[in-house]
Amino acid sequence: MGAADLHRPAQLRRMNRALLKHWDLSPCIDDAELVLTELATNAFQHGGGDDITVTWCADGAHLTIQVKDSSPVRPALQAVDEASEHGRGLCIVEALAASWGISEDGTTVHCALALPERAA
């Protein structure tokens, strides 16, 4: 991860916050920022450089975040313990998301966060 890449997760969190406020999805901001940070950091560290794309989509029931990089190496959940300093990213995503997955080509990780029901 290059020096400029160290600031990119923070930039993405700011974009995420602004977008979700605009979409009136403020209750999802904290969980969305956490999974976005984990997915983006993984992409910058293991995904082959600057070719990272983040996509947000809300369908009324879920907020879906996709992070695409240029590496065909499939991310995988890792076994971690209290002493582990790394490897918790996908475990965090799995814990917070209603669903998540990896594209067949291994370049995109997506997760869906359940949206709170809105009052009529």
Side-chain angles (χ1 to χ4, degrees):
M1 202 156 137
D5 293 337
L6 294 174
H7 300 287
R8 296 222 175 126
Q11 292 169 338
L12 287 168
R13 284 191 299 274
R14 286 191 296 276
M15 291 171 58
N16 179 77
R17 183 170 293 273
L19 178 64
L20 297 186
K21 282 183 178 180
H22 177 74
W23 284 352
D24 196 26
L25 297 176
S26 291
C28 299
I29 288 174
D30 291 339
D31 286 352
E33 282 184 357
L34 187 51
V35 298
L36 174 60
T37 299
E38 295 301 333
L39 296 179
T41 300
N42 285 350
F44 285 117
Q45 287 180 343
H46 308 292
D50 293 330
D51 192 16
I52 308 281
T53 303
V54 178
T55 306
W56 291 262
C57 179
D59 66 6
H62 293 93
L63 169 66
T64 301
I65 299 173
Q66 294 184 18
V67 177
K68 179 181 173 79
D69 61 44
S70 57
S71 174
V73 177
R74 293 178 61 83
L77 283 172
Q78 296 182 11
V80 295
D81 59 30
E82 299 91 34
S84 298
E85 293 185 20
H86 302 285
R88 290 184 172 84
L90 287 179
C91 294
I92 291 170
V93 171
E94 183 175 63
L96 292 175
S99 65
W100 74 280
I102 302 165
S103 65
E104 276 191 43
D105 67 0
T107 63
T108 304
V109 180
H110 61 89
C111 68
L113 300 172
L115 296 176
E117 290 189 30
R118 297 180 185 222

